[in-house]
Amino acid sequence: MNNQFVFVAVVSMLLVMSCNQKPKTDIIENEVTDIIMDMFKIEIHDASALTIIDSNATFEILVKGFSWSEGPLWIDELKAVIFSDVPTNKIYKWSEKDSLNVYLEYAGHTGEDNKDSGKGPNGLILDLENNLLICQHGDRRIASLDSDLNNPQPQFITIADSYNEKKFNSPNDLAIDRAGNIYFTDPPYGQPDNKTGDIGINGVFKISPEKKVTVLVDSLSRPNGIALSLDEQTLYINQSDRANPVLYSYDITEDGTLENGSVLFDFLALSKTTNGLPDGLKVHKSGNIFATGPGGVHIISKEGKHLATIKTGKSTANCAFSTDQKYLYMTTTDMLLRLGLK
């Protein structure tokens, strides 16, 4: 009789504990969500930013749970945004209709043996023929997807993988002009110990439509995000060097070389108090630059004036606009975010 009483008492106590624990878990999850939402803010530093963004615009967490999300790209044909998850060697696709799906595996380091190498894809763009171009860390090249956008397969055509017969480090981000020239950065992040390989520099390169590779800049320590001005007369480069985190501006000459390199915006003061470094960037139809950096995405005028900060509260890798530029998509560490623009 006593044993039965003890058994019932123990079971009852376990049930009570179980019931008490579940609300605590829910509370923690809710608190985490609230904290994440509280991190999202828009700070207006200049009234001109209000023509682009509303200070009370709503942030949307579209999906989360990635290792290091990167390189968002909106594709009209898919009615979706695709983005890289570098360590998992995958490209994902998110759409209003289907939510999240794996778009492409072995996307940055090809071959079955390299599935879990951690050296996946990074920057993504479409070329003039609507082919997907990928910065591949593992394969150390700029490659074109050799399959239909609607039925992607891990088949690639090499656009460029070396300069002067020396392999690139790990191509990171890229941009393309109206003539088909591809500009890209090649920091060492995909290399052991973040050191350059045979090529010996952390370069900024151009690939001509004939696939001729030219080095444009060989003096930067950590070139990362890259974008062209609307008139394609200026090249912007974000440098993710903790000792010198800056946004550079270069004039593009008639012969395609760069000159008058200068610091357009210095992130050093911000980097001392906020997580993150300069990374990807895009140019808005207004001509203003949406540059990722400490704390989120910074809207910077072409004259270098800090107009606004989109605070994500996390290290933010890159951003992209929808075609109509009504939305800004942002990859922030483990999340894909969306923000409405004017």
Side-chain angles (χ1 to χ4, degrees), residues 263-293:
V263 173
L264 184 67
F265 189 81
D266 193 336
F267 290 99
L268 184 60
L270 290 169
S271 70
K272 291 180 178 180
T273 59
T274 314
N275 291 333
L277 290 168
D279 204 316
L281 67 156
K282 297 295 185 295
V283 175
H284 186 259
K285 60 186 177 183
S286 63
N288 295 308
I289 306 151
F290 280 59
T292 63

Side-chain angles (χ1 to χ4, degrees), residues 233-307:
Q233 300 299 302
T234 306
L235 187 67
Y236 302 114
I237 302 167
N238 250 351
Q239 173 161 269
S240 54
D241 184 339
R242 192 167 298 279
N244 187 29
V246 298
L247 170 60
Y248 284 108
S249 172
Y250 292 85
D251 294 335
I252 302 175
T253 66
E254 287 188 8
D255 65 4
T257 58
L258 303 183
E259 65 179 14
N260 300 326
S262 62
V263 173
L264 184 67
F265 189 81
D266 193 336
F267 290 99
L268 184 60
L270 290 169
S271 70
K272 291 180 178 180
T273 59
T274 314
N275 291 333
L277 290 168
D279 204 316
L281 67 156
K282 297 295 185 295
V283 175
H284 186 259
K285 60 186 177 183
S286 63
N288 295 308
I289 306 151
F290 280 59
T292 63
V297 180
H298 302 265
I299 304 178
I300 300 167
S301 75
K302 59 185 179 181
E303 294 78 28
K305 189 171 185 178
H306 197 187
L307 306 181

Side-chain angles (χ1 to χ4, degrees), residues 28-47:
I28 291 171
E29 289 175 352
N30 290 335
E31 286 178 350
V32 169
T33 301
D34 289 342
I35 291 170
I36 289 174
M37 294 307 295
D38 285 346
M39 292 190 301
F40 300 154
K41 297 176 183 177
I42 297 170
E43 292 183 351
I44 303 297
H45 309 305
D46 187 274

Side-chain angles (χ1 to χ4, degrees), residues 77 125-133 144-145 147 149 159 176-180 182 209:
E77 184 176 335
I125 61 169
L126 295 176
D127 69 11
L128 303 186
E129 284 75 43
N130 217 39
N131 299 305
L132 179 63
L133 302 185
S144 175
L145 181 67
S147 62
L149 287 174
I159 302 300
I176 190 167
D177 66 18
R178 289 184 284 271
I182 301 165

Side-chain angles (χ1 to χ4, degrees), residues 16-29:
V16 170
M17 289 174 63
S18 175
C19 291
N20 286 340
Q21 286 174 351
K22 189 174 188 304
K24 288 182 181 177
T25 301
D26 291 342
I27 290 170
I28 291 171
E29 289 175 352

